[in-house]
Amino acid sequence: GWAEDSAPIVKVDKSNPIAPTAAATTASVYTDGSSHNWWKDTVTVHFTDNGDPALADTSAGSGVDTATIPENVTYTTLGLHTASGTVMDNAGNESSAGTLDVYVDDSDPTFGACPAGGPFMLNSGDHTVGPISVDDTGSGVASSGNTLSGPVHTNVAAQQSVEFTVYDNVGHSATKTCYYDIVSTSFLKPVDAAPIMNIAKLGRVIPVKINLLLNGGTVDNPTSQPIYIGGSTQVGCSTGETTADSAIDVYAAAGSSNAGNLFRWDTTGGFWIYKYD
C-alpha cells in the first residue's frame, strides 16, 4: 500500500503587528497656532488595532492578540499628555507604539489687579477704566467676547462697580468686580453754594473751603489719595450769563501745586482749601 505523510505544516511568524491607532473619543475644542489640539477639562483616548501583516509566503500571520490592545486612557489635568500603546500578535511579536498628543485646559483664566482710577467727581460723566490684565495657563485668553474695560458712572454719590469678564479658548470664563469711589463736595464759608452769586473785589484772594464727601460719607483727611478738581465756569458779572469754561482741572494730593493751583487739607478746620491764582 501507499504510505501517507501526515506530518503537520509548521508556520513561523517573525513579523511585528502594525502599530495601533490612538484617537480621542471626542473632538478637540481648540487648535492653537502651533497645531496643538486642546480639550476642555477632560479627554479620553481610545486604541484600535490595525492588524497583523501577512507572512513572506503571503499567508496570514498569527493575528493580533486582542487582549493586548490598550484600554482607554483619560486625562484631566492641565497641559500636554502623550497617549502611547502597543499590541502583540499571537506569536508574541510586539508592535511599535501608536501615540497621540492631547492638551487639556482644566482651569479658568485669571485677572490681575483692578485697573487704577478715581476717585471720580459726582456727576462728572462716565469714566472708562481698564484694560485689566488677564492670563491663562492653558489654551490662552480668547481673542473675542471679553470685557476688559468698562465705564464708571458718576450719577450716584455711592461707590460704583465695574464687572470684567474674560474667556479662554476652550470656553472657561471668569469675572471680577472692581470698585471705584465717587467724590462730591459742598462749599463752606466764605463761599456760598449755587445758586447764590458770590461777589468779591478784584484781586482779593478767596479761600475756597470744601467739605469733601466720599461715596456719600464725609472724608476726614484723605491726604493719601489724589483728588480730581473739576473745571470752573466763567459767569458774566452784569448779566449772570455763563461763558466759556475755564479749565482748571488738576490732580493734586494735599499740599501739592500745579501751574499756580494750590489744593491742601486744613488740619485745623477739617476741610480742603483750594486757591486759584
Side-chain angles (χ1 to χ4, degrees):
W2 297 89
E4 183 178 356
D5 184 2
S6 59
I9 299 174
V10 176
K11 299 178 72 173
V12 178
D13 185 347
K14 293 185 177 181
S15 59
N16 298 329
I18 301 171
T21 297
T25 59
T26 56
S28 63
V29 177
Y30 171 70
T31 301
D32 64 23
S34 299
S35 298
H36 299 152
N37 293 318
W38 288 87
W39 280 260
K40 181 180 180 181
D41 298 331
T42 183
V43 58
T44 297
V45 177
H46 176 75
F47 291 90
T48 305
D49 81 89
N50 289 305
D52 194 32
L55 302 180
D57 63 358
T58 70
S59 62
S62 60
V64 173
D65 180 357
T66 57
T68 66
I69 299 174
E71 295 183 355
N72 289 358
V73 57
T74 299
Y75 302 103
T76 60
T77 56
L78 177 68
L80 167 64
H81 304 276
T82 300
S84 180
T86 63
V87 296
M88 299 183 72
D89 63 18
N90 289 299
N93 300 303
E94 185 175 13
S95 73
S96 58
T99 62
L100 178 69
D101 287 343
V102 293
Y103 291 78
V104 175
D105 185 338
D106 67 343
S107 57
D108 295 338
T110 58
F111 289 95
C114 286
F120 300 107
M121 290 299 297
L122 180 67
N123 294 324
S124 63
D126 290 347
H127 299 266
T128 299
V129 292
I132 191 171
S133 61
V134 293
D135 190 24
D136 187 75
T137 57
S139 58
V141 174
S143 59
S144 61
N146 303 316
T147 304
L148 305 182
S149 298
V152 179
H153 306 295
T154 63
N155 58 325
V156 178
Q159 192 175 63
Q160 299 297 298
S161 63
V162 177
E163 186 174 275
F164 302 97
T165 303
V166 63
Y167 295 87
D168 66 18
N169 285 303
V170 298
H172 295 120
S173 65
T175 60
K176 181 170 183 171
T177 302
C178 298
Y179 297 91
Y180 296 91
D181 293 328
I182 305 302
V183 177
S184 58
T185 59
S186 60
F187 289 102
L188 304 176
K189 293 292 185 180
V191 176
D192 293 315
I196 296 175
M197 175 73 73
N198 291 274
I199 300 174
K201 291 182 179 180
L202 183 64
R204 180 183 175 187
V205 175
I206 305 297
V208 179
K209 301 178 182 181
I210 301 172
N211 187 22
L212 188 65
L213 305 176
L214 187 67
N215 303 320
T218 302
V219 177
D220 292 332
N221 187 2
T223 55
S224 62
Q225 181 65 261
I227 302 300
Y228 175 76
I229 302 298
S232 66
T233 301
Q234 294 180 354
V235 179
C237 294
S238 59
T239 64
E241 294 180 356
T242 301
T243 58
D245 286 344
S246 174
I248 57 171
D249 298 354
V250 295
Y251 281 95
S256 66
S257 61
N258 182 358
N261 300 325
L262 181 62
F263 186 54
R264 65 181 178 84
W265 174 255
D266 188 306
T267 57
T268 302
F271 47 74
W272 290 95
I273 295 181
Y274 174 70
K275 189 187 80 170
Y276 179 66
D277 295 330

